[in-house]
Amino acid sequence: MIIESELSKEEANLYNPAYVGVVLYQAIRECSEKNQQGLHCSLLYLIAPLALCGRYSSVLPASVSTPLAGWASDCEGYLVGFANSVSAYIDVVNMAMVFLLEQKAISLSENGFFLINNEAMPKLPAMVNKNEAFKKAFLSAGFLGRWFGQSPSAEGIYTHLGVMP
């Protein structure tokens, strides 16, 4: 498994599937509340680095009404190298998705959209609220789920962020 073989012990602990899964679950939940279709599966690869990396999460807009194209243009200096970050998170996101699917917390529709299966997780779990970094990633992921859920296409989001799907 990549967690043990390619990441340092600290990175493996930080990016364990349960931790990243909780963050991604929040994005799926927030998107699903606004968009009945759910969150397109490919968007989790963008959400993980945007929510988990302070470099990106610190410049997210304050409102989901902010146009993605305008924000990406205004923050292009911060987004230099973002495509490489997305690539670096692929295995971490894959393992988190497997974790969530095995726990039956989410399901994947035939159209490639993730939906929430189990609403058992509180809106702001105590474990999240007790750790400031975890809370920031969790809230950022929720924001990104709502923001990306308004977009007409996953491809458009990838294009605005300069990432090749």
Side-chain angles (χ1 to χ4, degrees):
M1 220 189 238
I2 187 148
I3 283 288
E4 289 85 16
S5 64
E6 295 186 16
L7 300 177
S8 71
K9 183 176 172 84
E10 292 80 16
E11 288 172 322
N13 288 337
L14 178 61
Y15 296 121
N16 74 65
Y19 172 77
V20 177
V22 167
V23 170
L24 296 179
Y25 176 92
Q26 180 64 6
I28 296 166
R29 176 179 19 208
E30 291 287 332
C31 179
S32 297
E33 287 180 2
K34 302 291 182 197
N35 182 344
Q36 299 290 344
Q37 196 171 15
L39 183 67
H40 193 275
C41 60
S42 69
L43 294 176
L44 292 180
Y45 295 99
L46 301 177
I47 290 172
L50 286 170
L52 294 169
C53 180
R55 173 183 178 181
Y56 305 123
S57 65
S58 67
V59 295
L60 290 175
S63 169
V64 295
S65 63
T66 302
L68 180 61
W71 174 81
S73 177
D74 290 345
C75 294
E76 69 181 322
Y78 288 98
L79 295 174
V80 170
F82 180 67
N84 292 333
S85 293
V86 171
S87 295
Y89 276 86
I90 288 173
D91 289 327
V92 171
V93 172
N94 286 342
M95 289 188 305
M97 285 190 292
V98 168
F99 173 80
L100 291 171
L101 289 166
E102 286 176 347
Q103 299 301 312
K104 296 184 176 34
I106 62 172
S107 61
L108 184 61
S109 74
E110 290 180 16
N111 298 336
F113 289 84
F114 281 116
L115 297 164
I116 297 297
N117 275 355
N118 182 352
E119 284 283 345
M121 189 181 346
K123 294 284 185 181
L124 187 60
M127 66 180 169
V128 171
N129 210 19
K130 290 179 184 176
N131 181 300
E132 199 56 42
F134 195 178
K135 184 177 180 180
K136 182 162 179 61
F138 186 83
L139 294 175
S140 293
F143 169 80
L144 290 162
R146 290 188 309 278
W147 198 28
F148 289 176
Q150 297 180 120
S151 180
S153 73
E155 294 84 1
I157 295 170
Y158 269 80
T159 300
H160 291 304
L161 295 176
V163 179
M164 298 272 300

